[in-house]
Amino acid sequence: MNYEHSMSTHPLKLIECPRDAMQGIHEFIPTDLKAEYINKLLQVGFDTIDFGSFVSPKAIPQMSDTREVLKRLDLSSSKSKLLAIIANLRGAEEAVAFNEISYLGFPFSVSETFQQRNTNSSITESFDTVQKIQSLCVKNNKQLVIYISMGFGNPYGDEWSAEIVSKWVNEMNKIGVNIISLSDTIGVSNPENIIYIYSNLSKDHPAIEFGVHLHSTPSTRVEKIDAAWKAGCRRFDSALKGFGGCPMAKDDLTGNIATEGILSYLEQNNINTGLNMRAWEEAMILSSRVFL
Ligand SMILES: CC(=O)SCCNC(=O)CCNC(=O)[C@H](O)C(C)(C)COP(=O)(O)OP(=O)(O)OC[C@H]1O[C@@H](n2cnc3c(N)ncnc32)[C@H](O)[C@@H]1OP(=O)(O)O
């Protein structure tokens, strides 16, 4: 495999995703405990914390207290930026009003079935929403992160191909989106398709910061991270201990990529993350109270 064209010019960004870890848990996690956990993660020094979402409380009840969690976060001594997931214009309008939030993340699926299931709108309608949200972000000095979910295939029988993913990336590029994370919402990626899709997209759009939001079983975790890294990816979403996954996806969901897997991969490759490992260990301990 020739990686020459995939040498990334983007800096390493680790995105820790407590929102994704918590959102599917049935039992409501008390607001104070959520905030305590996120505050601990804020001390670790990740580039970004995907901390909550402004979505329908009927769709994702666990995130219904995102506003209250936000009030309890201590950003004063953290270099991390906050990302909130939004799935319609209303959520975006709410999120942009908070100075503390730097990034809005929109789940955009190339699978019609999943987009309906996740946001109750079609791909075309969602793209229209994305355009409005992008304008809103520009006006409010926020950055929009598009998650292309089902980026590596889908289980619903909808047509899927690398060309379809590429087409939507082109559309996002045209409207000025410059951070796109390819999400393997249901864990169907493999090293070959990660390298193929990632390398081609980053070659076509060198200015776009592409990331991966992978899901995996522990046994295939390292090979996927390795493939993404070698293809030039420097933006990784993950969750401590691999907790979570999308509750709107099919049932036999594989978990998030575990952050410790990424950290040990980077360490083995002598890449310094500069993270506060003591705070990380404390977050690991605290997680056993959050994820029972
Ligand atoms: C891959 C991933 O992990 S992505 C993250 C997980 N997925 C998500 O977070 C997506 C969540 N999806 C949703 O929230 C929904 O599908 C929506 C809001 C985008 C669209 O759902 P719809 O039913 O079409 O919304 P609609 O506008 O009809 O409103 C339905 C209800 O939600 C409420 N609602 C809609 N938008 C919001 C919002 N942004 N914040 C709070 N409540 C909202 C409405 O008030 C309404 O409540 P009511 O029934 O009590 O009157």
Side-chain angles (χ1 to χ4, degrees):
M1 174 64 62
N2 177 9
Y3 298 119
E4 258 175 58
H5 60 270
S6 63
M7 293 311 289
S8 179
T9 52
H10 298 286
L12 175 64
K13 287 190 183 173
L14 299 178
I15 321 298
E16 176 65 24
C17 303
R19 184 267 323 160
D20 205 346
M22 293 190 276
Q23 68 182 3
I25 294 176
H26 187 63
E27 195 80 10
F28 193 75
I29 302 165
T31 305
D32 282 338
L33 183 56
K34 279 187 185 122
E36 186 184 348
Y37 182 58
I38 297 169
N39 275 326
K40 186 49 75 186
L41 293 171
L42 279 166
Q43 292 170 9
V44 180
F46 294 104
D47 181 84
T48 304
I49 304 282
D50 172 350
F51 84 102
S53 59
F54 295 88
V55 298
S56 162
K58 284 183 185 142
I60 310 283
Q62 188 63 257
M63 291 292 114
S64 59
D65 60 350
T66 287
R67 296 148 202 83
E68 283 70 35
V69 169
L70 187 52
K71 280 188 210 150
R72 290 164 170 78
L73 297 186
D74 178 10
L75 294 158
S76 59
S77 57
S78 176
K79 57 182 179 186
S80 305
K81 294 178 259 340
L82 294 182
L83 180 147
I85 293 293
I86 42 91
N88 61 7
L89 190 58
R90 173 176 158 188
E93 281 167 344
E94 204 175 338
V96 295
F98 290 98
N99 288 332
E100 299 89 335
I101 296 174
S102 303
Y103 297 109
L104 273 62
F106 185 92
F108 183 89
S109 185
V110 294
S111 154
E112 196 69 62
T113 309
F114 185 68
Q115 194 61 11
Q116 283 288 353
R117 192 166 165 163
N118 199 27
T119 66
N120 195 27
S121 56
S122 67
I123 295 178
T124 309
E125 286 163 342
S126 296
F127 186 62
D128 186 51
T129 303
V130 166
Q131 286 178 279
K132 292 182 179 131
I133 294 175
Q134 169 66 3
S135 303
L136 193 67
C137 284
V138 170
K139 220 185 287 169
N140 290 276
N141 204 20
K142 309 286 184 200
Q143 267 198 292
L144 179 60
V145 178
I146 292 293
Y147 288 90
I148 304 243
S149 56
M150 306 301 160
F152 298 93
N154 81 77
Y156 300 114
D158 299 323
E159 195 192 345
W160 181 93
S161 67
E163 288 69 34
I164 294 175
V165 176
S166 173
K167 172 195 156 215
W168 283 112
V169 166
N170 285 335
E171 295 302 316
M172 296 300 171
N173 183 44
K174 279 188 214 154
I175 62 164
V177 171
N178 50 31
I179 307 179
I180 296 180
S181 200
L182 300 167
S183 304
D184 182 23
T185 321
I186 39 109
V188 296
S189 66
N190 56 52
E192 289 71 33
N193 66 19
I194 291 172
I195 289 172
Y196 179 76
I197 293 164
Y198 196 94
S199 309
N200 282 308
L201 290 178
S202 52
K203 182 165 55 108
D204 292 346
H205 303 282
I208 294 184
E209 179 183 312
F210 285 103
V212 285
H213 181 104
L214 299 170
H215 289 247
S216 176
T217 54
S219 62
T220 56
R221 183 170 75 191
V222 176
E223 64 189 41
K224 290 184 186 188
I225 298 168
D226 184 53
W229 179 269
K230 288 185 173 148
C233 180
R234 296 295 179 266
R235 182 186 171 94
F236 291 88
D237 283 23
S238 62
L240 181 146
K241 291 188 189 166
F243 289 123
C246 182
M248 315 291 258
K250 74 184 185 108
D251 304 329
D252 57 343
L253 184 69
T254 37
N256 274 304
I257 283 270
T259 306
E260 54 275 27
I262 295 185
L263 297 185
S264 69
Y265 176 85
L266 294 173
E267 195 185 350
Q268 277 161 26
N269 288 278
N270 298 317
I271 295 142
N272 182 18
T273 59
L275 297 183
N276 175 347
M277 294 313 288
R278 191 171 168 172
W280 172 251
E281 295 301 331
E282 287 165 3
M284 288 280 247
I285 294 166
L286 179 54
S287 72
S288 60
R289 276 175 45 218
V290 181
F291 306 96
L292 300 174

